[in-house]
């Protein structure tokens, strides 16, 4: 089992709908969780960090963390074609010194 | 506030050569982490520098090394280049040491080894 797992996709979502991206992790004591967006040929861009169970909202983005079930998700409301990108989940695993990255989910928003 | 800068942006080297990449963090950020990104392996952690000291290291051979200067700028060196070293090399800066801090990436250096 990989330490941080994401469905590679592609996940295809109609414009205006809610896109739901999921990430599971193996370390029960992980404390820090991050979502990044990466456009093709560009570097990752931080969308949101989350450290506590529950929801955290920032504009059209909502991160949801459930430590008991060891998953973190990202919801994108009112999806736009400009949201088409690869979304990377990063989690600190086993220690507080290194992030482990998922392979990313490719999201395609269809006009 | 200016973002993370990396130089050069593109580099073509021959097997056996060495290369040095540079990273300037966001002003006030004291930690710099380096990553290698390839289509097959995704983002792989190389090392983190904080206060001019390497604090954490990923699972890469000793050919990969780095350093950090007193102004927090960092350099990464790869010696005896191999074809498999072709990748996008990213640096990320953060306020503090460790995985609990948000990391902000530079544009990357795309290295091609022929």
């Amino acid at each position: 089992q990989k330490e941080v797992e994401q469905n590679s996709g592609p996940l295809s979502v109609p414009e205006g709908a809610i896109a739901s991206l999921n990430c599971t992790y193996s370390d029960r004591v992980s404390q820090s969780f991050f979502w990044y967006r990466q456009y093709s040929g560009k570097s990752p861009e931080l969308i949101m960090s989350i450290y506590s169970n529950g929801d955290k909202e920032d504009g059209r983005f909502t991160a949801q963390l459930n430590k008991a079930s060891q998953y973190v998700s990202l919801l994108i409301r009112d999806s736009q074609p400009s949201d088409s990108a690869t979304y990377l989940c990063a989690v600190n695993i086993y220690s507080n010194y290194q992030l482990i990255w998922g392979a990313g989910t490719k999201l395609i928003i269809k006009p | 506030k200016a973002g993370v800068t990396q130089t050069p942006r593109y580099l073509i080297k021959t097997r056996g050569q060495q290369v040095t990449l540079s990273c300037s963090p966001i002003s006030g950020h004291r930690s710099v982490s380096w990553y290698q990104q390839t289509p097959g392996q995704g983002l792989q952690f190389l090392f983190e520098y904080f206060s001019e000291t390497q604090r954490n290291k990923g699972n890469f051979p000793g050919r990969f090394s780095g350093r950090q200067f007193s102004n927090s700028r960092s350099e990464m060196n790869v010696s005896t280049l191999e074809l498999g070293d072709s990748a996008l090399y990213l640096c990320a800066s953060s306020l503090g040491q460790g995985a609990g801090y948000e990391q902000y990436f530079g544009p990357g250096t795309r290295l091609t080894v022929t």
Side-chain angles (χ1 to χ4, degrees), chain B residues 2-114:
Chain B
V4 180
T5 59
Q6 290 187 247
T7 57
R9 293 292 310 279
Y10 303 91
L11 209 47
I12 299 175
K13 289 288 189 178
T14 303
R15 264 184 308 174
Q17 289 185 315
Q18 75 165 16
V19 67
T20 299
L21 311 181
S22 181
C23 172
S24 292
I26 292 170
S27 178
H29 284 195
R30 298 173 60 195
S31 173
V32 173
S33 296
W34 287 89
Y35 294 89
Q36 181 194 68
Q37 188 174 37
T38 59
Q41 297 296 318
L43 261 172
Q44 300 288 315
F45 173 76
L46 281 155
F47 30 65
E48 178 190 15
Y49 283 86
F50 180 82
S51 292
E52 302 178 61
T53 302
Q54 187 181 92
R55 302 291 179 163
N56 195 20
K57 190 176 191 305
N59 190 25
F60 278 82
R63 300 186 296 108
F64 293 82
S65 63
R67 59 177 174 169
Q68 187 180 35
F69 303 94
S70 58
N71 61 358
S72 296
R73 190 177 70 85
S74 177
E75 289 182 345
M76 189 192 90
N77 184 274
V78 187
S79 63
T80 318
L81 284 166
E82 301 177 359
L83 293 177
D85 296 333
S86 294
L88 179 66
Y89 289 88
L90 294 158
C91 82
S93 77
S94 57
L95 276 171
Q97 175 197 342
Y101 290 88
E102 296 177 341
Q103 296 185 8
Y104 298 86
F105 284 86
T109 295
R110 186 162 296 280
L111 173 64
T112 302
V113 182
T114 62

Side-chain angles (χ1 to χ4, degrees), chain A residues 32 34 36 38 41-46 48-49 51 56 88 91-92 95-99 101-103, chain B residues 35 37 42-43 45 48 55-58 88 90 97-108 110:
Chain A
S32 308
F34 305 89
Y36 285 80
Q38 187 172 25
K42 302 293 184 181
S43 60
E45 173 190 9
L46 178 68
M48 191 176 299
S49 58
Y51 303 94
K56 180 181 178 182
L88 300 168
V91 182
N92 76 311
S95 74
N96 199 33
Y97 298 103
Q98 183 180 144
L99 285 178
W101 296 77
Chain B
Y35 294 89
Q37 188 174 37
L43 261 172
F45 173 76
E48 178 190 15
R55 302 291 179 163
N56 195 20
K57 190 176 191 305
L88 179 66
L90 294 158
Q97 175 197 342
Y101 290 88
E102 296 177 341
Q103 296 185 8
Y104 298 86
F105 284 86
R110 186 162 296 280

Side-chain angles (χ1 to χ4, degrees), chain A residues 29-69:
Chain A
V29 298
S30 292
Q31 297 294 321
S32 308
F33 308 85
F34 305 89
W35 281 101
Y36 285 80
R37 176 176 63 194
Q38 187 172 25
Y39 293 112
S40 180
K42 302 293 184 181
S43 60
E45 173 190 9
L46 178 68
I47 298 173
M48 191 176 299
S49 58
I50 186 167
Y51 303 94
S52 305
N53 274 330
D55 294 359
K56 180 181 178 182
E57 186 175 318
D58 184 0
R60 297 187 295 113
F61 299 94
T62 299
Q64 299 177 318
L65 175 60
N66 185 322
K67 291 185 180 181
S69 300

